[in-house]
mmCIF file of all heavy atoms in Angstrom:
data_model
loop_
_atom_site.group_PDB
_atom_site.id
_atom_site.type_symbol
_atom_site.label_atom_id
_atom_site.label_comp_id
_atom_site.label_asym_id
_atom_site.label_seq_id
_atom_site.Cartn_x
_atom_site.Cartn_y
_atom_site.Cartn_z
ATOM 1 N N ILE A 51 106.905 118.161 130.817
ATOM 2 C CA ILE A 51 107.795 118.198 129.655
ATOM 3 C C ILE A 51 109.112 117.446 129.893
ATOM 4 O O ILE A 51 109.499 116.595 129.082
ATOM 5 C CB ILE A 51 108.047 119.647 129.212
ATOM 6 C CG1 ILE A 51 106.733 120.267 128.726
ATOM 7 C CG2 ILE A 51 109.107 119.704 128.108
ATOM 8 C CD1 ILE A 51 106.843 121.728 128.345
ATOM 9 N N PRO A 52 109.836 117.702 130.980
ATOM 10 C CA PRO A 52 111.133 117.028 131.136
ATOM 11 C C PRO A 52 111.051 115.534 131.418
ATOM 12 O O PRO A 52 112.041 114.826 131.231
ATOM 13 C CB PRO A 52 111.774 117.775 132.314
ATOM 14 C CG PRO A 52 110.632 118.337 133.081
ATOM 15 C CD PRO A 52 109.595 118.684 132.065
ATOM 16 N N VAL A 53 109.902 115.038 131.862
ATOM 17 C CA VAL A 53 109.822 113.614 132.190
ATOM 18 C C VAL A 53 109.516 112.749 130.968
ATOM 19 O O VAL A 53 109.618 111.530 131.046
ATOM 20 C CB VAL A 53 108.753 113.357 133.276
ATOM 21 C CG1 VAL A 53 109.066 114.152 134.532
ATOM 22 C CG2 VAL A 53 107.349 113.668 132.774
ATOM 23 N N CYS A 54 109.165 113.371 129.833
ATOM 24 C CA CYS A 54 108.823 112.588 128.641
ATOM 25 C C CYS A 54 110.087 112.066 127.968
ATOM 26 O O CYS A 54 110.952 112.859 127.581
ATOM 27 C CB CYS A 54 108.019 113.445 127.658
ATOM 28 S SG CYS A 54 107.546 112.541 126.162
ATOM 29 N N PRO A 55 110.224 110.763 127.792
ATOM 30 C CA PRO A 55 111.469 110.201 127.238
ATOM 31 C C PRO A 55 111.644 110.436 125.741
ATOM 32 O O PRO A 55 112.750 110.252 125.231
ATOM 33 C CB PRO A 55 111.340 108.703 127.547
ATOM 34 C CG PRO A 55 109.872 108.455 127.611
ATOM 35 C CD PRO A 55 109.276 109.705 128.201
ATOM 36 N N THR A 56 110.594 110.824 125.039
ATOM 37 C CA THR A 56 110.701 111.010 123.588
ATOM 38 C C THR A 56 110.393 112.435 123.150
ATOM 39 O O THR A 56 110.166 112.680 121.973
ATOM 40 C CB THR A 56 109.756 110.041 122.849
ATOM 41 O OG1 THR A 56 108.409 110.256 123.300
ATOM 42 C CG2 THR A 56 110.156 108.602 123.086
ATOM 43 N N GLN A 57 110.365 113.370 124.083
ATOM 44 C CA GLN A 57 110.068 114.772 123.788
ATOM 45 C C GLN A 57 108.743 114.902 123.027
ATOM 46 O O GLN A 57 108.617 115.675 122.077
ATOM 47 C CB GLN A 57 111.186 115.447 122.985
ATOM 48 C CG GLN A 57 112.520 115.550 123.711
ATOM 49 C CD GLN A 57 113.313 114.259 123.682
ATOM 50 O OE1 GLN A 57 113.534 113.695 122.622
ATOM 51 N NE2 GLN A 57 113.773 113.811 124.831
ATOM 52 N N ALA A 58 107.761 114.131 123.487
ATOM 53 C CA ALA A 58 106.442 114.158 122.855
ATOM 54 C C ALA A 58 105.592 115.323 123.349
ATOM 55 O O ALA A 58 104.512 115.559 122.808
ATOM 56 C CB ALA A 58 105.704 112.840 123.117
ATOM 57 N N ILE A 59 106.065 116.041 124.363
ATOM 58 C CA ILE A 59 105.298 117.130 124.950
ATOM 59 C C ILE A 59 106.071 118.436 124.801
ATOM 60 O O ILE A 59 107.276 118.482 125.038
ATOM 61 C CB ILE A 59 105.005 116.871 126.436
ATOM 62 C CG1 ILE A 59 104.367 115.485 126.637
ATOM 63 C CG2 ILE A 59 104.091 117.953 127.009
ATOM 64 C CD1 ILE A 59 104.165 115.105 128.078
ATOM 65 N N ALA A 60 105.375 119.462 124.383
ATOM 66 C CA ALA A 60 105.988 120.787 124.245
ATOM 67 C C ALA A 60 104.970 121.840 124.667
ATOM 68 O O ALA A 60 103.778 121.560 124.788
ATOM 69 C CB ALA A 60 106.444 121.024 122.808
ATOM 70 N N ARG A 61 105.468 123.046 124.888
ATOM 71 C CA ARG A 61 104.566 124.135 125.245
ATOM 72 C C ARG A 61 105.132 125.465 124.775
ATOM 73 O O ARG A 61 106.269 125.811 125.087
ATOM 74 C CB ARG A 61 104.345 124.185 126.759
ATOM 75 C CG ARG A 61 103.334 125.247 127.174
ATOM 76 C CD ARG A 61 102.936 125.118 128.618
ATOM 77 N NE ARG A 61 101.751 125.921 128.905
ATOM 78 C CZ ARG A 61 101.043 125.826 130.013
ATOM 79 N NH1 ARG A 61 101.386 124.960 130.944
ATOM 80 N NH2 ARG A 61 99.974 126.565 130.191
ATOM 81 N N LYS A 62 104.335 126.183 123.989
ATOM 82 C CA LYS A 62 104.714 127.519 123.559
ATOM 83 C C LYS A 62 104.300 128.520 124.630
ATOM 84 O O LYS A 62 103.308 128.304 125.329
ATOM 85 C CB LYS A 62 104.063 127.860 122.223
ATOM 86 C CG LYS A 62 104.535 126.992 121.064
ATOM 87 C CD LYS A 62 103.864 127.404 119.772
ATOM 88 C CE LYS A 62 104.353 126.532 118.614
ATOM 89 N NZ LYS A 62 103.695 126.920 117.332
ATOM 90 N N PRO A 63 105.034 129.614 124.775
ATOM 91 C CA PRO A 63 104.676 130.621 125.791
ATOM 92 C C PRO A 63 103.235 131.107 125.620
ATOM 93 O O PRO A 63 102.815 131.469 124.522
ATOM 94 C CB PRO A 63 105.675 131.759 125.511
ATOM 95 C CG PRO A 63 106.841 131.072 124.881
ATOM 96 C CD PRO A 63 106.271 129.965 124.056
ATOM 97 N N GLY A 64 102.477 131.041 126.698
ATOM 98 C CA GLY A 64 101.098 131.498 126.679
ATOM 99 C C GLY A 64 100.102 130.507 126.129
ATOM 100 O O GLY A 64 98.895 130.772 126.115
ATOM 101 N N GLY A 65 100.561 129.339 125.677
ATOM 102 C CA GLY A 65 99.667 128.343 125.092
ATOM 103 C C GLY A 65 99.574 127.089 125.944
ATOM 104 O O GLY A 65 100.322 126.919 126.911
ATOM 105 N N PRO A 66 98.642 126.202 125.601
ATOM 106 C CA PRO A 66 98.500 124.958 126.355
ATOM 107 C C PRO A 66 99.583 123.950 125.975
ATOM 108 O O PRO A 66 100.300 124.121 124.983
ATOM 109 C CB PRO A 66 97.115 124.459 125.917
ATOM 110 C CG PRO A 66 96.980 124.970 124.509
ATOM 111 C CD PRO A 66 97.662 126.313 124.511
ATOM 112 N N VAL A 67 99.675 122.927 126.772
ATOM 113 C CA VAL A 67 100.597 121.837 126.468
ATOM 114 C C VAL A 67 100.165 121.148 125.174
ATOM 115 O O VAL A 67 98.970 120.955 124.935
ATOM 116 C CB VAL A 67 100.621 120.832 127.635
ATOM 117 C CG1 VAL A 67 101.166 119.484 127.188
ATOM 118 C CG2 VAL A 67 101.465 121.359 128.773
ATOM 119 N N ALA A 68 101.127 120.795 124.332
ATOM 120 C CA ALA A 68 100.854 120.048 123.107
ATOM 121 C C ALA A 68 101.477 118.660 123.244
ATOM 122 O O ALA A 68 102.677 118.535 123.510
ATOM 123 C CB ALA A 68 101.445 120.766 121.904
ATOM 124 N N LEU A 69 100.657 117.645 123.105
ATOM 125 C CA LEU A 69 101.097 116.262 123.268
ATOM 126 C C LEU A 69 100.996 115.540 121.926
ATOM 127 O O LEU A 69 99.924 115.508 121.308
ATOM 128 C CB LEU A 69 100.237 115.548 124.315
ATOM 129 C CG LEU A 69 100.399 114.030 124.441
ATOM 130 C CD1 LEU A 69 101.828 113.672 124.824
ATOM 131 C CD2 LEU A 69 99.420 113.474 125.466
#
Side-chain angles (χ1 to χ4, degrees):
I51 295 176
V53 302
C54 180
T56 57
Q57 296 80 52
I59 308 175
R61 184 169 194 168
K62 295 181 180 180
V67 160
L69 170 61

